[in-house]
């Protein structure tokens, strides 16, 4: 196995030279992909609608094709789900990555073409290993296996030729044979839908393996790690897997979890590598050892545009190309992809921490949200949940804000709400239950995390006295119509400030 590992490391490091090429010539690479995408899709229904055959430049593309969201592309995607082809992309679309976060649907279905699988998602996976092998030449990851935490949804069949599931489930189902050989646990366990049973079976199946690397969302990785230690009676993961040296993570901010992972894996040799991989595409990889910024991957079949956040509500907002962006400014990402997404606003905001080469950090969402555990609760989810809770208990709310409660010790995470009422609910506990249950109904990812309190517990809700939010805004010097209470935040800053105001009242 050591020989195989050495050969693999040598092979993977060759890809680093290609990465260095797009780092050196980023604009040329993006221009090349732009023309490739436009040419490939010119005879699709979408390409004919916007006459892709006559588009020669990115400026023409931007003038002709409006910025899209899931809702604007949804009519095409619904037809694709029923089996229609050559709508947004010319090759057959039979896989769809299911995720939540859209304002009008509990879940959205992102088309995944063979090109986006091979040239984007799988290429990104191989590049993770390439970058790791380059940064740590003496690694031993292929002397053992990679523990992969699959999605919360199995692959489901829509019709004879169409299937959907979480992105991770779609990727696992399509892995090449060599990658499957190095992965654990068996696919029948990795894609189980019942997370309580799944964690138990994953722990039992992997404790006897020589696990050298783990990939997954921090939330569920912690749940699995605690289950492994519970079954084995060990104090930390290195006592179970002494050759563990690498953790791939993404999807949520890792900073609140770092200390817990240090306790679980108490060694300085452990390598943490962040990725930016979404249902819509694979965008970034942490390529430097001592920096948490991510290299924007420019040769994955994606053409990028960047919309300054202050212009996001403009009627015809002007997007920027790579050569026009500035450091430390917030931009919404707009992508056109080899999966058939055209000028698609994915909802994330980023800042450039470096240009030439282009490195980024994720700064949030285009809308307020909570995504500390992969639940991606957005404003629309919260508004619908509060409205239903008020309706069920005769209450009227005045203002609210919410934030995460991060994992601490053996406790699971949760959400903490502060709600000020104009009219009190007739039963406060029932109000909280309806709030929680409605969130589960409208957001499939929140529902998955709430299953038997495994990753998210029942929300903690503070019943604020009249004037709480007014006094808080006043203390910030932000009274006035243009200043609003932030509904959702992915950190605890606002909630902690308001709780202090409540204590002084």
């Amino acid at each position: 196995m050591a020989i195989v590992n050495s050969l693999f490391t040598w092979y993977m490091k060759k890809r680093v030279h290609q990465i260095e090429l797009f780092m050196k010539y980023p604009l040329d690479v993006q221009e090349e992909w732009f023309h490739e995408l436009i040419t490939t899709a010119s005879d699709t229904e979408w390409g004919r609608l916007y006459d892709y055959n006559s588009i020669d430049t990115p400026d023409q593309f931007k003038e002709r094709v409006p910025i899209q969201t899931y809702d604007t592309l949804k009519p095409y995607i619904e037809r694709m789900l029923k089996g229609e082809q050559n709508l947004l992309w010319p090759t057959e679309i039979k896989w769809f990555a299911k995720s939540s976060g859209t304002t009008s649907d509990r879940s959205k279905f992102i088309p995944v073409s063979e090109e986006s699988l091979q040239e984007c998602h799988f290429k990104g996976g191989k590049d993770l290993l390439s970058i790791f092998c380059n940064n740590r030449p003496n690694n031993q990851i292929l002397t053992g296996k990679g523990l992969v935490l699959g999605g919360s949804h199995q692959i489901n069949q829509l019709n004879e030729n169409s299937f959907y599931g979480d992105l991770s489930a779609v990727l696992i189902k399509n892995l090449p044979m060599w990658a499957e050989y190095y992965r654990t646990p068996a696919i029948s366990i990795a894609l189980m839908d019942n997370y309580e049973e799944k964690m138990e079976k994953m722990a039992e199946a992997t404790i006897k393996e020589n696990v050298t690397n783990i990939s997954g969302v921090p939330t569920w990785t912690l749940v699995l790690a605690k289950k492994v230690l519970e079954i084995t009676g060990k104090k930390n993961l290195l006592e179970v897997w002494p050759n563990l040296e690498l953790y791939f993570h993404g999807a949520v901010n890792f900073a609140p979890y770092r200390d817990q992972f240090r306790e679980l894996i108490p060694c300085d040799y452990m390598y943490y590598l962040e990725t930016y991989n979404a249902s819509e595409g694979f965008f970034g990889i942490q390529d430097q050892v001592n920096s948490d910024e991510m290299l924007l991957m420019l040769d994955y079949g994606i053409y990028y545009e960047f919309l300054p956040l202050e212009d996001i509500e403009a009627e015809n907002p002007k997007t920027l190309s790579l050569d026009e962006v500035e450091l430390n400014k917030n931009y919404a990402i707009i992508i056109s992809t080899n999966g058939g997404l055209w000028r698609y606003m994915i909802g994330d905001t980023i800042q450039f921490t470096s240009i030439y080469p282009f490195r980024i950090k994720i700064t949030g969402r285009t809308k307020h949200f909570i995504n500390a555990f992969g639940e991606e609760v957005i404003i629309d989810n919260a508004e619908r949940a509060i409205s239903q809770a008020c309706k069920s208990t005769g209450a009227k709310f005045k203002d609210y804000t919410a934030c995460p409660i991060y994992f601490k010790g053996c406790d699971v995470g949760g959400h903490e709400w502060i709600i000020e009422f104009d009219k009190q609910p007739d039963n406060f506990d029932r109000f909280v239950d309806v709030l929680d249950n409605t969130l589960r109904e409208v957001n499939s990812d929140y529902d998955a995390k709430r299953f038997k309190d495994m990753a998210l517990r029942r929300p903690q809700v503070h019943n604020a006295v009249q004037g709480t939010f007014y006094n808080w805004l006043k203390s910030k010097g932000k009274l006035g119509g243009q200043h609003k209470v932030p509904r959702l935040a992915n950190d605890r800053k606002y909630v902690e400030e308001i709780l202090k105001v409540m204590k002084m009242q």
Side-chain angles (χ1 to χ4, degrees):
M1 292 296 284
I3 294 174
V4 173
N5 192 80
S6 297
L7 288 172
F8 179 81
T9 297
W10 171 81
Y11 175 77
M12 283 298 178
K13 285 178 70 175
K14 288 179 67 178
R15 164 62 181 158
V16 172
H17 296 302
Q18 294 175 304
I19 293 173
E20 289 170 347
L21 194 65
F22 79 65
M23 291 169 70
K24 190 174 181 180
Y25 303 105
L27 306 183
D28 296 321
V29 170
Q30 276 287 280
E31 182 87 9
E32 197 174 303
W33 267 114
F34 167 75
H35 289 295
E36 174 73 19
L37 292 169
I38 292 295
T39 301
T40 303
S42 60
D43 288 329
T44 62
E45 184 174 310
W46 182 271
R48 291 192 299 271
L49 175 66
Y50 291 103
D51 194 12
Y52 275 18
N53 275 320
S54 68
I55 292 178
D56 295 318
T57 67
D59 284 342
Q60 290 176 334
F61 178 59
K62 294 176 184 181
E63 288 169 7
R64 194 173 300 177
V65 182
I67 290 174
Q68 304 295 313
T69 64
Y70 185 78
D71 289 333
T72 61
L73 289 182
K74 185 179 172 184
Y76 291 89
I77 293 173
E78 286 182 334
R79 290 166 61 194
M80 294 162 73
L81 288 166
K82 294 173 183 175
E84 283 193 61
Q85 300 293 340
N86 203 38
L87 300 180
L88 298 173
W89 190 251
T91 61
E92 183 183 20
I93 304 287
K94 61 180 181 180
W95 291 96
F96 296 85
K98 180 186 179 187
S99 65
S100 69
T102 177
T103 56
S104 58
D105 288 297
R106 188 170 186 262
S107 297
K108 55 184 178 181
F109 295 85
I110 303 299
V112 181
S113 68
E114 183 65 21
E115 290 86 351
S116 60
L117 265 179
Q118 299 299 334
E119 297 171 7
C120 186
H121 293 293
F122 287 155
K123 192 173 183 179
K126 286 184 279 189
D127 281 354
L128 290 176
L129 294 173
S130 297
I131 288 168
F132 172 67
C133 291
N134 186 62
N135 290 346
R136 182 172 284 177
N138 59 342
N139 75 83
Q140 298 296 312
I141 61 168
L142 284 192
T143 61
K145 293 199 171 185
L147 196 167
V148 180
L149 279 78
S152 59
H153 296 281
Q154 295 185 36
I155 298 300
N156 295 280
Q157 193 159 355
L158 289 159
N159 51 55
E160 282 187 3
N161 299 308
S162 298
F163 307 86
Y164 73 87
D166 278 4
L167 175 66
S168 53
V170 172
L171 298 182
I172 287 173
K173 196 71 174 177
N174 287 277
L175 278 174
M177 193 175 297
W178 69 266
E180 184 63 24
Y181 176 78
Y182 285 102
R183 190 191 59 74
T184 189
I187 197 167
S188 58
I189 297 173
L191 298 184
M192 287 178 67
D193 220 12
N194 183 321
Y195 250 78
E196 187 174 47
E197 186 181 356
K198 178 177 183 170
M199 290 294 112
E200 187 84 31
K201 287 192 176 294
M202 283 192 81
E204 291 172 351
T206 57
I207 54 178
K208 295 177 183 177
E209 296 279 4
N210 176 24
V211 172
T212 60
N213 61 99
I214 300 173
S215 59
V217 177
T219 320
W220 291 116
T221 304
L222 285 173
V223 172
L224 176 64
K226 290 172 183 177
K227 179 62 69 174
V228 166
L229 298 182
E230 178 188 316
I231 291 173
T232 60
K234 303 295 186 182
K235 293 180 180 178
N236 63 65
L237 291 183
L238 293 177
E239 293 182 3
V240 183
W241 300 311
N243 298 315
L244 182 63
E245 62 173 308
L246 172 63
Y247 175 48
F248 300 112
H249 62 89
V252 297
N253 183 9
F254 187 62
Y257 303 98
R258 198 172 294 278
D259 288 342
Q260 291 181 75
F261 272 85
R262 284 201 184 107
E263 290 177 14
L264 287 168
I265 311 166
C267 77
D268 294 331
Y269 190 70
M270 189 67 186
Y271 194 112
Y272 295 92
L273 200 159
E274 184 172 3
T275 72
Y276 183 9
N277 190 18
S279 299
E280 296 87 353
F282 202 125
F283 308 127
I285 300 174
Q286 181 184 345
D287 68 315
Q288 298 172 303
V289 178
N290 298 315
S291 173
D292 60 0
E293 56 192 341
M294 288 179 284
L295 181 68
L296 187 65
M297 308 306 286
L298 300 177
D299 64 347
Y300 285 3
I302 299 171
Y303 177 71
Y304 290 99
E305 301 171 54
F306 304 93
L307 176 60
L309 204 55
E310 62 267 24
D311 299 334
I312 204 164
E313 299 296 336
E315 189 173 337
N316 295 300
K318 181 184 184 299
T319 61
L320 307 179
S321 300
L322 268 182
D323 60 329
E324 300 174 296
V325 299
E326 300 175 32
L327 291 176
N328 305 316
K329 283 193 66 174
N330 273 317
Y331 296 105
I333 302 180
I334 313 292
I335 58 172
S336 297
T337 77
N338 53 8
L341 300 177
W342 298 105
R343 304 204 73 207
Y344 183 89
M345 187 186 297
I346 62 174
D348 289 336
T349 60
I350 57 100
Q351 287 183 2
F352 284 91
T353 55
S354 164
I355 54 177
Y356 300 99
F358 291 89
R359 292 193 177 92
I360 61 171
K361 65 178 180 180
I362 303 169
T363 54
R365 300 280 290 175
T366 52
K367 306 293 182 185
H368 288 197
F369 70 108
I370 302 177
N371 190 35
F373 311 97
E375 69 276 45
E376 207 164 285
V377 171
I378 60 175
I379 289 288
D380 182 75
N381 301 156
E383 303 281 16
R384 289 165 69 178
I386 282 201
S387 296
Q388 188 59 44
C390 284
K391 184 179 179 182
S392 300
T393 59
K396 292 181 181 178
F397 82 91
K398 185 174 184 180
D399 251 324
Y400 74 91
T401 192
C403 74
I405 303 171
Y406 287 108
F407 285 133
K408 188 175 182 181
C410 294
D411 294 335
V412 298
H415 289 174
E416 185 165 6
W417 295 68
I418 302 174
I419 305 177
E420 183 177 330
F421 294 94
D422 274 330
K423 182 183 178 184
Q424 289 289 326
D426 55 29
N427 185 312
F428 190 76
D429 280 340
R430 188 155 63 88
F431 178 95
V432 177
D433 286 334
V434 175
L435 177 79
D436 182 34
N437 289 331
T438 306
L439 281 172
R440 297 186 69 167
E441 289 169 10
V442 300
N443 184 316
S444 57
D445 286 341
Y446 179 89
D447 184 48
K449 305 297 185 297
R450 281 285 290 116
F451 181 74
K452 295 194 174 180
D453 292 349
M454 289 184 66
L456 280 177
R457 62 178 180 264
R458 182 176 182 262
Q460 178 182 349
V461 182
H462 300 276
N463 190 339
V465 301
Q466 286 283 330
T468 294
F469 287 98
Y470 175 91
N471 291 332
W472 174 69
L473 287 170
K474 185 177 180 180
S475 73
K476 305 286 287 182
K478 291 188 176 181
L479 288 177
Q482 73 273 29
H483 298 296
K484 297 180 176 65
V485 173
R487 296 304 199 193
L488 303 177
N490 213 33
D491 57 53
R492 295 188 53 80
K493 178 176 179 288
Y494 300 125
V495 163
E496 296 290 0
E497 288 179 355
I498 296 166
L499 287 174
K500 288 180 182 178
V501 171
M502 290 172 65
K503 286 180 181 178
M504 294 187 293
Q505 288 178 328

